[in-house]
Amino acid sequence: MIRYTPQAQLTLEGFQTPFSQDLNKNNRWVKLAGCIPWDKLANVYYKKMNSDFGAPSLSARMVIGAMIIKHMLNIDDREVVAQIQENMYLQYFVGLSSFTTEEPFDASLMVSIRYRLGQEVMEAFNHLVLQEAGIIPAVFEEDKDLASAGRNNDDDAPDASPQYPADSVNDKVQVTKAAAKDKSADTACNHDGENANSGTLLLDATIAEQQIEYPTDLKLLNESREQLERMIRQVCKEGNLHQPRMYKNNARKQYLTLAKKKKKTKKQIRKGLRSQLQYVSRDLKYINKLLEDHSTLKKALDKRDGKLLQVIHEVYRQQHEMYTEDKRSIEHRIVSLYQPHVRPMPRGKDRVQTEFGSKQLVMLKDGYTHVQKISWDNFNEGIHLQDCVETYKCIYGCYPEKVSADGIFGNKANRKYLKEKNIRFVGKQLGRPPKMSPAEKRKLQKEMAGRNEIEGKFGQGKNGYGLQKIKARMQATAESWIMSIYFIMNLVKLSERIFLCLLKMVVAYFSNHELLKKNNCNLIVTTPN
């Protein structure tokens, strides 16, 4: 059941604070709350929910606000709840009408929030941010059914999120739209008729590493053996059966003897792998026979153990194949028992040769990001340039004037495609370097240096918002975590742009005031309703 009230009624003065204090209008959370189109985000969030069935849900503003707080402060789920409980500015940000010392929700609910805020929903959120920024045309639709449903639920939900003031939101949106119109001559596209190429598309790929222990084949087999021993003990205890002999003490002793050595020879590693493979093979035969002979004992293993057993079977198959064929890589290699979707990503960088996580292909225009592709398998990002250009046209209504990317995107097929679309590729030409004047070289270097903007965006996400280490363990929640970070970076860009527009208006006001004062004229100021 949906429980939501439109955010056009919550005023800053109406927020009840302790000790007769007033909230500071210049606080960062108050400013950010005024930049966010809460009602439009709520429409997207509630699209897949039933308004007449189920228990009342948390307000969309509470859900989205908690996600924003988590990544803005780069804190864990429990700390999010504690921060909202203690900070009255954060309580105002998530839509509460007055200060309370009670927990807004249980911290475990953040996992369900990440499941709901998947890649599709976050992509719709980013589209709304682009509309608010004036980058793409906004479609103004008022959801009267949602508003009336929210008002009808006010009596049943006294703690539901109140509505946000129309005055403060509309004022800032008007400023943003005015700035977008000023910028349209340079970057905006004409969405009527045949559109001319406009804007610069920045492309690059990055890895968002998962929070896992650095994997080695020996460590992975030892962990598999320990989990199998636990399952065997659990099943035998449930069926009151005699435990088979698993040689667990000898196996652990052999593992520690090799693992504690600082320098290991190839011969020692192969010997250690052979012994651990034998222990894992024996334990797999034990657990399979127990479950086949006593089908009622399957209930001793929960759903999580059932999935873990399947993963261990695949790990043993991969490790046995690599050992027997004496090779160091295999397709779809598992590096974590608890996150089997994670794959090794060879990068060839000085800091680290291999990263473990997901790979994102990201587009950047005017400081706003769009995630084109998220994959847990390594891929050649260069072959996706044409898809990115077509996506650019779908979003902005025209093809870009130029594409700035690194050398992997500049293959012959891509250059031919860009030439057909009258798009210029910013980069070195293929083949023998052409003769260029010093001025042309400086111009090309300056244009190629513009790609640093997308590298800075990756640094912003990894150093400031938790993109460096993704702590969500499931594949769906990890993807939601990643998309949330890019969404928040777009929100931060939107809030900065609104502040610059307001500053520009103030400077223009005083400039006009001084000019009219010299001419002995009166200045008439009009404000939006």
Side-chain angles (χ1 to χ4, degrees):
M1 179 185 294
I2 297 175
R3 182 172 65 186
Y4 181 73
T5 53
Q7 303 300 308
Q9 296 178 359
L10 180 62
T11 61
L12 195 64
E13 293 78 10
F15 185 83
Q16 301 297 320
T17 60
F19 319 118
S20 301
Q21 294 178 353
D22 293 330
L23 294 182
N24 183 3
K25 295 183 179 181
N26 294 322
N27 181 269
R28 56 172 176 160
W29 296 107
V30 175
K31 289 182 177 180
L32 184 60
C35 302
I36 300 175
W38 295 106
D39 290 339
K40 295 179 182 179
L41 297 180
N43 292 338
V44 176
Y45 176 73
Y46 288 133
K47 188 172 292 186
K48 295 184 178 180
M49 298 178 64
N50 194 324
S51 59
D52 301 323
F53 181 77
S57 65
L58 281 177
S59 169
R61 179 163 177 173
M62 175 69 75
V63 170
I64 300 171
M67 180 267 297
I68 294 174
I69 291 170
K70 172 181 175 59
H71 295 292
M72 286 281 290
L73 301 180
N74 198 9
I75 54 181
D76 58 30
D77 295 346
R78 293 185 180 89
E79 187 64 21
V80 171
V81 177
Q83 288 287 344
I84 296 175
Q85 183 183 8
E86 299 166 0
N87 193 323
M88 59 185 179
Y89 284 102
L90 296 183
Q91 292 190 14
Y92 172 80
F93 181 75
V94 298
L96 297 181
S97 59
S98 61
F99 181 79
T100 177
T101 57
E102 297 180 357
E103 290 186 352
F105 54 87
D106 190 82
S108 61
L109 191 60
M110 290 293 292
V111 179
S112 300
I113 290 174
R114 282 192 284 272
Y115 269 113
R116 288 183 179 177
L117 298 177
Q119 186 173 359
E120 181 180 352
V121 175
M122 297 308 304
E123 193 59 46
F125 284 1
N126 274 321
H127 194 76
L128 291 174
V129 171
L130 292 177
Q131 290 181 356
E132 292 298 316
I135 304 297
I136 58 178
V139 180
F140 299 98
E141 297 179 353
E142 295 189 12
D143 196 339
K144 297 181 180 180
D145 296 335
L146 180 60
S148 61
R151 285 191 290 271
N152 293 336
N153 283 333
D154 284 347
D155 298 334
D156 300 332
D159 58 339
S161 300
Q163 302 166 358
Y164 195 79
D167 296 336
S168 60
V169 174
N170 290 336
D171 292 348
K172 295 181 179 180
V173 171
Q174 293 293 338
V175 173
T176 305
K177 291 173 184 172
K181 290 181 181 179
D182 295 338
K183 191 178 179 182
S184 61
D186 299 328
T187 58
C189 302
N190 181 15
H191 290 265
D192 299 328
E194 193 68 24
N195 301 331
N197 293 5
S198 177
T200 301
L201 172 61
L202 302 179
L203 283 177
D204 204 355
T206 187
I207 302 293
E209 289 191 278
Q210 290 293 118
Q211 184 71 33
I212 63 172
E213 186 180 15
Y214 188 85
T216 63
D217 295 337
L218 189 65
K219 190 183 300 181
L220 197 62
L221 287 173
N222 177 72
E223 197 169 6
S224 301
R225 176 188 58 80
E226 291 177 346
Q227 291 296 331
L228 287 173
E229 292 171 356
R230 179 187 60 81
M231 294 180 192
I232 292 172
R233 289 195 300 268
Q234 194 170 325
V235 169
C236 292
K237 183 178 180 181
E238 179 71 19
N240 197 19
L241 301 174
H242 177 71
Q243 290 187 15
R245 189 171 183 179
M246 295 178 286
Y247 302 95
K248 56 184 179 180
N249 292 332
N250 293 339
R252 177 163 179 79
K253 184 178 179 181
Q254 293 177 10
Y255 164 73
L256 291 177
T257 301
L258 181 59
K260 289 182 178 181
K261 290 184 177 181
K262 290 185 178 181
K263 295 183 179 181
K264 309 176 185 65
T265 64
K266 182 179 179 180
K267 183 177 180 180
Q268 291 173 339
I269 293 175
R270 281 190 60 82
K271 183 179 179 181
L273 290 175
R274 183 178 68 247
S275 62
Q276 293 300 320
L277 283 169
Q278 291 173 350
Y279 291 125
V280 171
S281 175
R282 181 187 291 112
D283 292 342
L284 283 174
K285 292 178 182 178
Y286 286 156
I287 190 68
N288 291 336
K289 184 173 179 57
L290 287 172
L291 295 179
E292 289 175 2
D293 295 345
H294 308 277
S295 58
T296 57
L297 296 181
K298 292 183 179 180
K299 62 181 181 180
L301 302 178
D302 55 16
K303 185 177 180 180
R304 176 178 176 273
D305 286 338
K307 292 182 178 180
L308 187 60
L309 184 59
Q310 294 178 0
V311 174
I312 293 175
H313 273 282
E314 180 62 17
V315 168
Y316 173 76
R317 185 196 67 80
Q318 291 182 357
Q319 294 295 328
H320 185 266
E321 180 179 338
M322 287 193 294
Y323 177 82
T324 54
E325 298 181 9
D326 196 15
K327 58 184 182 180
R328 302 184 62 181
S329 63
I330 194 170
E331 189 177 5
H332 303 300
R333 184 175 183 175
I334 296 177
V335 294
S336 173
L337 293 181
Y338 314 106
Q339 300 182 47
H341 53 277
V342 178
R343 298 288 180 266
M345 301 280 185
R347 300 291 287 169
K349 294 186 177 181
D350 294 336
R351 182 181 64 86
V352 60
Q353 293 292 325
T354 305
E355 295 177 315
F356 304 93
S358 62
K359 188 174 184 178
Q360 304 103 46
L361 177 59
V362 181
M363 303 164 49
L364 183 70
K365 181 183 183 295
D366 295 335
Y368 295 92
T369 58
H370 170 81
V371 180
Q372 175 68 14
K373 180 181 177 64
I374 297 181
S375 176
W376 296 92
D377 290 313
N378 203 357
F379 63 90
N380 181 5
E381 56 266 30
I383 63 177
H384 296 283
L385 181 137
Q386 299 182 20
D387 295 335
C388 294
V389 173
E390 294 298 333
T391 301
Y392 182 99
K393 187 178 187 300
C394 292
I395 296 176
Y396 302 104
C398 61
Y399 287 112
E401 179 184 356
K402 54 185 178 180
V403 172
S404 181
D406 55 17
I408 196 172
F409 292 92
N411 55 49
K412 291 183 179 180
N414 289 340
R415 290 175 187 264
K416 181 180 178 181
Y417 167 81
L418 294 177
K419 187 176 181 179
E420 293 174 354
K421 302 296 182 181
N422 197 23
I423 304 172
R424 185 163 59 90
F425 181 79
V426 178
K428 295 182 179 180
Q429 297 185 11
L430 297 178
R432 180 177 297 178
K435 293 182 179 180
M436 302 175 65
S437 64
E440 291 175 339
K441 288 183 179 180
R442 287 193 298 268
K443 181 180 178 181
L444 179 60
Q445 290 175 355
K446 185 176 181 180
E447 288 183 336
M448 293 178 64
R451 198 177 63 85
N452 294 336
E453 183 180 358
I454 194 170
E455 297 289 351
K457 187 63 68 172
F458 292 150
Q460 179 187 3
K462 291 185 178 182
N463 297 326
Y465 302 111
L467 191 63
Q468 179 65 27
K469 290 291 183 181
I470 307 300
K471 298 180 181 179
R473 303 182 71 174
M474 299 290 103
Q475 181 174 348
T477 55
E479 292 176 357
S480 177
W481 185 305
I482 294 168
M483 293 296 299
S484 299
I485 293 174
Y486 287 106
F487 166 68
I488 290 168
M489 288 194 291
N490 287 344
L491 277 182
V492 172
K493 179 67 178 179
L494 175 63
S495 63
E496 292 174 353
R497 182 173 180 178
I498 289 180
F499 173 76
L500 293 176
C501 292
L502 291 172
L503 184 61
K504 183 178 180 181
M505 289 181 62
V506 171
V507 172
Y509 167 79
F510 283 105
S511 298
N512 294 334
H513 182 74
E514 292 295 330
L515 181 61
L516 292 174
K517 187 176 180 181
K518 290 180 181 180
N519 297 330
N520 296 324
C521 299
N522 294 326
L523 179 64
I524 301 176
V525 180
T526 60
T527 58
N529 295 329

mmCIF file of all heavy atoms in Angstrom, residues 387-418:
data_model
loop_
_atom_site.group_PDB
_atom_site.id
_atom_site.type_symbol
_atom_site.label_atom_id
_atom_site.label_comp_id
_atom_site.label_asym_id
_atom_site.label_seq_id
_atom_site.Cartn_x
_atom_site.Cartn_y
_atom_site.Cartn_z
ATOM 1 N N ASP A 387 26.608 2.645 -29.695
ATOM 2 C CA ASP A 387 25.442 2.608 -28.810
ATOM 3 C C ASP A 387 25.368 3.865 -27.945
ATOM 4 O O ASP A 387 24.280 4.398 -27.698
ATOM 5 C CB ASP A 387 25.504 1.365 -27.921
ATOM 6 C CG ASP A 387 25.399 0.085 -28.729
ATOM 7 O OD1 ASP A 387 24.832 0.136 -29.837
ATOM 8 O OD2 ASP A 387 25.898 -0.956 -28.260
ATOM 9 N N CYS A 388 26.522 4.340 -27.490
ATOM 10 C CA CYS A 388 26.542 5.543 -26.653
ATOM 11 C C CYS A 388 26.098 6.772 -27.439
ATOM 12 O O CYS A 388 25.360 7.614 -26.921
ATOM 13 C CB CYS A 388 27.946 5.761 -26.085
ATOM 14 S SG CYS A 388 28.486 4.497 -24.921
ATOM 15 N N VAL A 389 26.536 6.865 -28.695
ATOM 16 C CA VAL A 389 26.142 8.013 -29.515
ATOM 17 C C VAL A 389 24.642 7.988 -29.784
ATOM 18 O O VAL A 389 23.965 9.031 -29.735
ATOM 19 C CB VAL A 389 26.945 8.013 -30.830
ATOM 20 C CG1 VAL A 389 26.437 9.089 -31.775
ATOM 21 C CG2 VAL A 389 28.428 8.234 -30.540
ATOM 22 N N GLU A 390 24.083 6.803 -30.050
ATOM 23 C CA GLU A 390 22.647 6.713 -30.285
ATOM 24 C C GLU A 390 21.868 7.022 -29.003
ATOM 25 O O GLU A 390 20.788 7.625 -29.057
ATOM 26 C CB GLU A 390 22.288 5.320 -30.806
ATOM 27 C CG GLU A 390 22.862 5.003 -32.180
ATOM 28 C CD GLU A 390 22.344 5.939 -33.268
ATOM 29 O OE1 GLU A 390 21.219 6.462 -33.118
ATOM 30 O OE2 GLU A 390 23.071 6.151 -34.257
ATOM 31 N N THR A 391 22.389 6.597 -27.854
ATOM 32 C CA THR A 391 21.750 6.933 -26.584
ATOM 33 C C THR A 391 21.783 8.446 -26.350
ATOM 34 O O THR A 391 20.819 9.031 -25.846
ATOM 35 C CB THR A 391 22.462 6.216 -25.425
ATOM 36 O OG1 THR A 391 22.412 4.800 -25.648
ATOM 37 C CG2 THR A 391 21.791 6.529 -24.093
ATOM 38 N N TYR A 392 22.885 9.062 -26.706
ATOM 39 C CA TYR A 392 23.000 10.520 -26.602
ATOM 40 C C TYR A 392 21.892 11.199 -27.415
ATOM 41 O O TYR A 392 21.254 12.150 -26.951
ATOM 42 C CB TYR A 392 24.377 10.947 -27.095
ATOM 43 C CG TYR A 392 24.671 12.431 -26.996
ATOM 44 C CD1 TYR A 392 25.420 12.938 -25.949
ATOM 45 C CD2 TYR A 392 24.220 13.312 -27.974
ATOM 46 C CE1 TYR A 392 25.703 14.296 -25.858
ATOM 47 C CE2 TYR A 392 24.494 14.665 -27.900
ATOM 48 C CZ TYR A 392 25.236 15.148 -26.846
ATOM 49 O OH TYR A 392 25.504 16.500 -26.760
ATOM 50 N N LYS A 393 21.657 10.707 -28.618
ATOM 51 C CA LYS A 393 20.612 11.292 -29.453
ATOM 52 C C LYS A 393 19.227 11.077 -28.854
ATOM 53 O O LYS A 393 18.355 11.958 -28.928
ATOM 54 C CB LYS A 393 20.664 10.692 -30.865
ATOM 55 C CG LYS A 393 19.725 11.373 -31.854
ATOM 56 C CD LYS A 393 19.863 10.775 -33.243
ATOM 57 C CE LYS A 393 19.049 11.592 -34.250
ATOM 58 N NZ LYS A 393 17.608 11.625 -33.899
ATOM 59 N N CYS A 394 18.997 9.915 -28.266
ATOM 60 C CA CYS A 394 17.694 9.654 -27.640
ATOM 61 C C CYS A 394 17.449 10.580 -26.453
ATOM 62 O O CYS A 394 16.317 11.022 -26.230
ATOM 63 C CB CYS A 394 17.618 8.193 -27.194
ATOM 64 S SG CYS A 394 17.570 7.002 -28.541
ATOM 65 N N ILE A 395 18.501 10.882 -25.687
ATOM 66 C CA ILE A 395 18.339 11.702 -24.490
ATOM 67 C C ILE A 395 18.260 13.182 -24.845
ATOM 68 O O ILE A 395 17.362 13.907 -24.377
ATOM 69 C CB ILE A 395 19.496 11.442 -23.501
ATOM 70 C CG1 ILE A 395 19.472 9.993 -23.003
ATOM 71 C CG2 ILE A 395 19.414 12.402 -22.317
ATOM 72 C CD1 ILE A 395 20.627 9.644 -22.096
ATOM 73 N N TYR A 396 19.180 13.640 -25.672
ATOM 74 C CA TYR A 396 19.310 15.079 -25.915
ATOM 75 C C TYR A 396 18.703 15.526 -27.242
ATOM 76 O O TYR A 396 18.689 16.721 -27.535
ATOM 77 C CB TYR A 396 20.790 15.478 -25.870
ATOM 78 C CG TYR A 396 21.446 15.132 -24.567
ATOM 79 C CD1 TYR A 396 22.304 14.032 -24.466
ATOM 80 C CD2 TYR A 396 21.208 15.874 -23.416
ATOM 81 C CE1 TYR A 396 22.906 13.702 -23.260
ATOM 82 C CE2 TYR A 396 21.804 15.550 -22.216
ATOM 83 C CZ TYR A 396 22.650 14.465 -22.142
ATOM 84 O OH TYR A 396 23.240 14.138 -20.937
ATOM 85 N N GLY A 397 18.211 14.604 -28.056
ATOM 86 C CA GLY A 397 17.513 14.983 -29.269
ATOM 87 C C GLY A 397 18.397 15.250 -30.458
ATOM 88 O O GLY A 397 17.892 15.615 -31.528
ATOM 89 N N CYS A 398 19.700 15.126 -30.352
ATOM 90 C CA CYS A 398 20.609 15.373 -31.468
ATOM 91 C C CYS A 398 21.903 14.610 -31.222
ATOM 92 O O CYS A 398 22.176 14.168 -30.112
ATOM 93 C CB CYS A 398 20.891 16.864 -31.617
ATOM 94 S SG CYS A 398 21.680 17.599 -30.169
ATOM 95 N N TYR A 399 22.688 14.482 -32.277
ATOM 96 C CA TYR A 399 23.991 13.850 -32.140
ATOM 97 C C TYR A 399 24.987 14.860 -31.565
ATOM 98 O O TYR A 399 24.819 16.079 -31.722
ATOM 99 C CB TYR A 399 24.495 13.361 -33.501
ATOM 100 C CG TYR A 399 23.767 12.143 -34.014
ATOM 101 C CD1 TYR A 399 22.949 12.219 -35.137
ATOM 102 C CD2 TYR A 399 23.910 10.911 -33.380
ATOM 103 C CE1 TYR A 399 22.282 11.109 -35.611
ATOM 104 C CE2 TYR A 399 23.241 9.796 -33.851
ATOM 105 C CZ TYR A 399 22.427 9.898 -34.955
ATOM 106 O OH TYR A 399 21.766 8.787 -35.414
ATOM 107 N N PRO A 400 26.037 14.369 -30.906
ATOM 108 C CA PRO A 400 27.040 15.310 -30.385
ATOM 109 C C PRO A 400 27.876 15.910 -31.504
ATOM 110 O O PRO A 400 28.010 15.327 -32.586
ATOM 111 C CB PRO A 400 27.894 14.435 -29.464
ATOM 112 C CG PRO A 400 27.751 13.057 -30.015
ATOM 113 C CD PRO A 400 26.357 12.975 -30.561
ATOM 114 N N GLU A 401 28.421 17.074 -31.237
ATOM 115 C CA GLU A 401 29.314 17.701 -32.205
ATOM 116 C C GLU A 401 30.656 16.987 -32.256
ATOM 117 O O GLU A 401 31.256 16.841 -33.320
ATOM 118 C CB GLU A 401 29.509 19.176 -31.858
ATOM 119 C CG GLU A 401 30.430 19.923 -32.789
ATOM 120 C CD GLU A 401 30.672 21.347 -32.350
ATOM 121 O OE1 GLU A 401 30.051 21.765 -31.355
ATOM 122 O OE2 GLU A 401 31.487 22.037 -32.999
ATOM 123 N N LYS A 402 31.127 16.526 -31.075
ATOM 124 C CA LYS A 402 32.391 15.810 -31.018
ATOM 125 C C LYS A 402 32.354 14.805 -29.876
ATOM 126 O O LYS A 402 31.596 14.958 -28.913
ATOM 127 C CB LYS A 402 33.570 16.773 -30.840
ATOM 128 C CG LYS A 402 33.445 17.708 -29.657
ATOM 129 C CD LYS A 402 34.589 18.708 -29.631
ATOM 130 C CE LYS A 402 34.427 19.687 -28.458
ATOM 131 N NZ LYS A 402 35.526 20.673 -28.420
ATOM 132 N N VAL A 403 33.165 13.777 -30.002
ATOM 133 C CA VAL A 403 33.287 12.719 -28.993
ATOM 134 C C VAL A 403 34.721 12.727 -28.498
ATOM 135 O O VAL A 403 35.670 12.644 -29.293
ATOM 136 C CB VAL A 403 32.929 11.342 -29.575
ATOM 137 C CG1 VAL A 403 33.248 10.238 -28.577
ATOM 138 C CG2 VAL A 403 31.463 11.295 -29.964
ATOM 139 N N SER A 404 34.882 12.820 -27.188
ATOM 140 C CA SER A 404 36.211 12.811 -26.572
ATOM 141 C C SER A 404 36.346 11.546 -25.739
ATOM 142 O O SER A 404 35.593 11.340 -24.773
ATOM 143 C CB SER A 404 36.397 14.056 -25.690
ATOM 144 O OG SER A 404 37.685 14.065 -25.113
ATOM 145 N N ALA A 405 37.269 10.698 -26.120
ATOM 146 C CA ALA A 405 37.477 9.426 -25.421
ATOM 147 C C ALA A 405 38.916 8.996 -25.640
ATOM 148 O O ALA A 405 39.652 9.568 -26.441
ATOM 149 C CB ALA A 405 36.502 8.359 -25.927
ATOM 150 N N ASP A 406 39.332 7.952 -24.910
ATOM 151 C CA ASP A 406 40.711 7.489 -25.065
ATOM 152 C C ASP A 406 40.856 6.642 -26.327
ATOM 153 O O ASP A 406 39.893 6.412 -27.057
ATOM 154 C CB ASP A 406 41.175 6.730 -23.824
ATOM 155 C CG ASP A 406 40.252 5.581 -23.467
ATOM 156 O OD1 ASP A 406 39.455 5.172 -24.330
ATOM 157 O OD2 ASP A 406 40.318 5.087 -22.328
ATOM 158 N N GLY A 407 42.065 6.157 -26.553
ATOM 159 C CA GLY A 407 42.395 5.525 -27.817
ATOM 160 C C GLY A 407 41.618 4.272 -28.125
ATOM 161 O O GLY A 407 41.461 3.920 -29.303
ATOM 162 N N ILE A 408 41.109 3.559 -27.123
ATOM 163 C CA ILE A 408 40.416 2.295 -27.373
ATOM 164 C C ILE A 408 39.118 2.516 -28.134
ATOM 165 O O ILE A 408 38.605 1.611 -28.805
ATOM 166 C CB ILE A 408 40.161 1.558 -26.037
ATOM 167 C CG1 ILE A 408 39.815 0.094 -26.304
ATOM 168 C CG2 ILE A 408 39.045 2.231 -25.248
ATOM 169 C CD1 ILE A 408 39.729 -0.749 -25.053
ATOM 170 N N PHE A 409 38.545 3.723 -28.058
ATOM 171 C CA PHE A 409 37.318 4.029 -28.792
ATOM 172 C C PHE A 409 37.604 4.464 -30.228
ATOM 173 O O PHE A 409 36.676 4.571 -31.020
ATOM 174 C CB PHE A 409 36.548 5.144 -28.081
ATOM 175 C CG PHE A 409 35.986 4.751 -26.749
ATOM 176 C CD1 PHE A 409 36.711 4.951 -25.588
ATOM 177 C CD2 PHE A 409 34.729 4.185 -26.646
ATOM 178 C CE1 PHE A 409 36.199 4.604 -24.357
ATOM 179 C CE2 PHE A 409 34.206 3.827 -25.418
ATOM 180 C CZ PHE A 409 34.945 4.035 -24.271
ATOM 181 N N GLY A 410 38.856 4.742 -30.546
ATOM 182 C CA GLY A 410 39.179 5.303 -31.844
ATOM 183 C C GLY A 410 39.557 4.283 -32.893
ATOM 184 O O GLY A 410 40.504 4.521 -33.673
ATOM 185 N N ASN A 411 38.878 3.142 -32.972
ATOM 186 C CA ASN A 411 39.180 2.162 -34.010
ATOM 187 C C ASN A 411 38.570 2.598 -35.345
ATOM 188 O O ASN A 411 37.828 3.581 -35.436
ATOM 189 C CB ASN A 411 38.677 0.771 -33.603
ATOM 190 C CG ASN A 411 37.191 0.776 -33.261
ATOM 191 O OD1 ASN A 411 36.377 1.295 -34.002
ATOM 192 N ND2 ASN A 411 36.850 0.192 -32.120
ATOM 193 N N LYS A 412 38.876 1.871 -36.404
ATOM 194 C CA LYS A 412 38.455 2.263 -37.739
ATOM 195 C C LYS A 412 36.942 2.268 -37.890
ATOM 196 O O LYS A 412 36.364 3.164 -38.521
ATOM 197 C CB LYS A 412 39.086 1.322 -38.771
ATOM 198 C CG LYS A 412 40.589 1.474 -38.928
ATOM 199 C CD LYS A 412 41.112 0.554 -40.025
ATOM 200 C CE LYS A 412 42.624 0.728 -40.208
ATOM 201 N NZ LYS A 412 43.143 -0.159 -41.281
ATOM 202 N N ALA A 413 36.284 1.253 -37.326
ATOM 203 C CA ALA A 413 34.826 1.171 -37.463
ATOM 204 C C ALA A 413 34.149 2.367 -36.794
ATOM 205 O O ALA A 413 33.205 2.947 -37.343
ATOM 206 C CB ALA A 413 34.318 -0.137 -36.865
ATOM 207 N N ASN A 414 34.622 2.721 -35.611
ATOM 208 C CA ASN A 414 34.026 3.853 -34.903
ATOM 209 C C ASN A 414 34.299 5.169 -35.625
ATOM 210 O O ASN A 414 33.415 6.039 -35.705
ATOM 211 C CB ASN A 414 34.568 3.919 -33.472
ATOM 212 C CG ASN A 414 34.036 2.806 -32.599
ATOM 213 O OD1 ASN A 414 33.012 2.198 -32.907
ATOM 214 N ND2 ASN A 414 34.731 2.518 -31.518
ATOM 215 N N ARG A 415 35.495 5.344 -36.109
ATOM 216 C CA ARG A 415 35.799 6.581 -36.829
ATOM 217 C C ARG A 415 34.970 6.706 -38.109
ATOM 218 O O ARG A 415 34.522 7.800 -38.475
ATOM 219 C CB ARG A 415 37.300 6.627 -37.159
ATOM 220 C CG ARG A 415 38.191 6.820 -35.940
ATOM 221 C CD ARG A 415 39.655 6.727 -36.312
ATOM 222 N NE ARG A 415 40.509 6.745 -35.142
ATOM 223 C CZ ARG A 415 41.101 7.848 -34.655
ATOM 224 N NH1 ARG A 415 40.924 9.013 -35.263
ATOM 225 N NH2 ARG A 415 41.877 7.778 -33.596
ATOM 226 N N LYS A 416 34.751 5.597 -38.799
ATOM 227 C CA LYS A 416 33.917 5.624 -39.986
ATOM 228 C C LYS A 416 32.477 5.986 -39.632
ATOM 229 O O LYS A 416 31.827 6.790 -40.332
ATOM 230 C CB LYS A 416 33.966 4.261 -40.676
ATOM 231 C CG LYS A 416 33.136 4.189 -41.953
ATOM 232 C CD LYS A 416 33.241 2.805 -42.587
ATOM 233 C CE LYS A 416 32.362 2.736 -43.847
ATOM 234 N NZ LYS A 416 32.431 1.379 -44.477
ATOM 235 N N TYR A 417 31.977 5.403 -38.551
ATOM 236 C CA TYR A 417 30.604 5.706 -38.106
ATOM 237 C C TYR A 417 30.466 7.182 -37.732
ATOM 238 O O TYR A 417 29.488 7.845 -38.114
ATOM 239 C CB TYR A 417 30.258 4.808 -36.923
ATOM 240 C CG TYR A 417 29.002 5.216 -36.186
ATOM 241 C CD1 TYR A 417 27.748 4.877 -36.661
ATOM 242 C CD2 TYR A 417 29.087 5.951 -35.006
ATOM 243 C CE1 TYR A 417 26.599 5.257 -35.989
ATOM 244 C CE2 TYR A 417 27.951 6.328 -34.316
ATOM 245 C CZ TYR A 417 26.714 5.987 -34.815
ATOM 246 O OH TYR A 417 25.581 6.365 -34.150
ATOM 247 N N LEU A 418 31.430 7.712 -36.981
ATOM 248 C CA LEU A 418 31.364 9.114 -36.573
ATOM 249 C C LEU A 418 31.450 10.051 -37.771
ATOM 250 O O LEU A 418 30.792 11.098 -37.802
ATOM 251 C CB LEU A 418 32.499 9.414 -35.581
ATOM 252 C CG LEU A 418 32.433 8.699 -34.226
ATOM 253 C CD1 LEU A 418 33.660 9.042 -33.380
ATOM 254 C CD2 LEU A 418 31.163 9.056 -33.467
#
